[in-house]
Amino acid sequence: VGAADDVVLIDQHCHGVLADDADGARFRFWLTEADTVVRDPFESLLGLAVRRWCAPVLELPAHAEPDVYLRRRAELGWREVTGRLLRAAGVSDWLVDTGFVPEPATTPAEFGAGRVREVVRVEQVAEQVFATADTVAGLLDGIRAELRRRASGAVGLKSVVGYRTGLAVAPTAPDDRAVRGAAAGWLASGQTRLADATLLDWLVHEAAAVGAELSLPLQLHTGFGDPDLDLRQADPLLLKGFLQSTTGLSVVLLHCWPYHRNAAYLAHVFGHVSVDLGLTVPYVGARFAAVLGEVLELAPFSAVLYSSDGNGIPELHHLGAVLWRRGLGRLLDEWIAEDVVGAADAERLAHATSAANARRLYRI
Ligand SMILES: [Zn+2]
């Protein structure tokens, strides 16, 4: 029995699940970060992991062919498949980013698969206020008020500024004049999508203030994702100035690949920074132990968190959990065998990174 086999997880960042059936094309769309599916995502470590670990949950042999898997999925129906995969993940709490949801969506709570808690995506709050605002003051005051209102019912905040103008967030909030000018420009543009660097900096600092005030961690997307982002601007090292000026706030760096070592360094030098691997976990599949090992080279054990970034298809929520336990377990078993760590310490490390750190950070 591995050191992490039975550990119950807190999935500190995921999204909703599709509430209807997905045919082969739609399923593959959710199995890649590419905008257009040109190459078959089944032919990747993620695809192999689906066939190895999800097929048995649907009572197929491990490594079932993609067509066999998709046929079985259709036969059982999305409801049955989703319930099985989510319950078998062994997750007690899912922290769901409600700013991006598949359509139509459902959540793990509807399948008796654990509790769901909300993480508020701040750009979505700003864009929702924008839809009804007609003056600069109405827009800015409205965003401030709505952020506080939404935050009061949530366990955390999240920003996707890494997707918009990148992670080089100014160390201090822009001045009022600049913010008002930028807000006027946004209103005049008529474009709902917030893409102005001054306003995004302002919003992230507003979120940081709300987070510090209400003791809610601020999650930041870092590292890879769909091609909507410029990966060079998603290196968490760009956050240094912002992190130095926000020590009263807990900051969580999400996903991180290929900058997971940079993120581990930031967690090492800044006591208010934590790191997870999110999206990286299902995507790197069988390589996960190696990637996690690189994070643990420098990150303090109390700064490492689990998440799946599961989104759309429940296979991702499931694989995050399976691959996390397996990768962490393999790493710890190796360390025990090499006498790097004792069995009791290994077990504590497994529980801390799988759930206890998140429980403390989000006050669950
Ligand atoms: Zn996400």
Side-chain angles (χ1 to χ4, degrees):
V1 174
D5 280 0
D6 303 321
V7 71
V8 175
L9 307 177
I10 292 179
D11 189 336
Q12 69 110 32
H13 172 74
C14 67
H15 304 266
V17 181
L18 273 178
D20 61 10
D21 288 308
D23 62 13
R26 195 158 173 231
F27 186 83
R28 286 179 170 90
F29 169 82
W30 287 101
L31 204 61
T32 173
E33 289 298 310
D35 278 348
T36 327
V37 183
V38 177
R39 299 194 175 90
D40 188 354
F42 269 108
E43 294 183 25
S44 67
L45 282 173
L46 172 58
L48 291 182
V50 170
R51 294 170 55 195
R52 169 60 186 92
W53 299 107
C54 300
V57 182
L58 309 191
E59 290 160 89
L60 291 171
H63 309 294
E65 290 293 333
D67 286 354
V68 173
Y69 184 82
L70 291 168
R71 251 198 321 275
R72 176 66 175 155
R73 210 178 184 279
E75 197 176 285
L76 289 171
W78 72 269
R79 220 176 264 285
E80 176 67 19
V81 169
T82 302
R84 286 191 191 191
L85 289 169
L86 293 181
R87 286 191 296 270
V91 169
S92 67
D93 299 82
W94 309 82
L95 277 47
V96 177
D97 171 356
T98 52
F100 180 82
V101 285
E103 279 291 331
T106 184
T107 77
E110 290 165 49
F111 295 88
R115 286 171 297 270
V116 165
R117 300 161 197 278
E118 189 186 16
V119 174
V120 173
R121 186 185 286 212
V122 298
E123 288 79 7
Q124 191 206 30
V125 170
E127 287 164 359
Q128 282 171 342
V129 173
F130 176 87
T132 58
D134 41 23
T135 64
V136 165
L139 176 61
L140 297 175
D141 293 345
I143 292 171
R144 276 197 196 93
E146 189 61 6
L147 262 186
R148 279 177 172 72
R149 190 187 73 77
R150 292 280 304 277
S152 67
V155 295
L157 301 165
K158 183 201 172 184
S159 168
V160 290
V161 67
Y163 254 96
R164 303 286 171 96
T165 47
L167 293 176
V169 176
T172 54
D175 67 50
D176 280 354
R177 230 181 106 97
V179 173
R180 283 198 303 271
W186 188 21
L187 286 169
S189 78
Q191 299 293 314
T192 302
R193 190 174 191 274
L194 175 55
D196 177 86
T198 303
L199 282 179
L200 282 162
D201 277 6
W202 170 77
L203 182 64
V204 173
H205 279 280
E206 283 293 319
V210 172
E213 193 182 303
L214 303 179
S215 297
L216 299 180
L218 175 63
Q219 303 179 337
L220 295 168
H221 177 105
T222 76
F224 83 123
D226 66 58
D228 194 25
L229 66 71
D230 178 351
L231 187 55
R232 294 167 302 180
Q233 301 304 320
D235 183 341
L237 290 182
L238 295 168
L239 288 163
K240 188 185 177 201
F242 174 75
L243 295 176
Q244 278 175 314
S245 68
T246 52
T247 50
L249 167 76
S250 295
V251 176
V252 181
L253 307 174
L254 301 177
H255 319 308
C256 303
W257 189 95
Y259 305 120
H260 48 284
R261 278 178 153 160
N262 301 7
Y265 162 76
L266 291 170
H268 180 94
V269 293
F270 294 118
H272 63 302
V273 174
S274 301
V275 53
D276 90 350
L277 285 155
L279 185 61
T280 311
V281 187
Y283 272 81
V284 303
R287 285 278 299 156
F288 179 64
V291 176
L292 179 62
E294 290 182 344
V295 168
L296 293 175
E297 285 168 355
L298 219 55
F301 302 150
S302 60
V304 177
L305 305 165
Y306 164 69
S307 84
S308 66
D309 195 33
N311 188 17
I313 48 172
E315 277 81 357
L316 297 173
H317 302 70
H318 183 77
L319 284 178
V322 170
L323 295 168
W324 169 269
R325 279 195 195 88
R326 217 180 129 71
L328 177 63
R330 262 170 66 185
L331 202 61
L332 292 176
D333 288 349
E334 199 182 294
W335 288 1
I336 291 169
E338 290 168 2
D339 203 23
V340 173
V341 66
D345 281 329
E347 199 168 313
R348 259 198 300 278
L349 199 160
H351 282 277
T353 54
S354 299
N357 292 342
R359 198 175 293 289
R360 187 179 63 247
L361 193 63
Y362 295 95
R363 296 181 301 162
I364 290 169

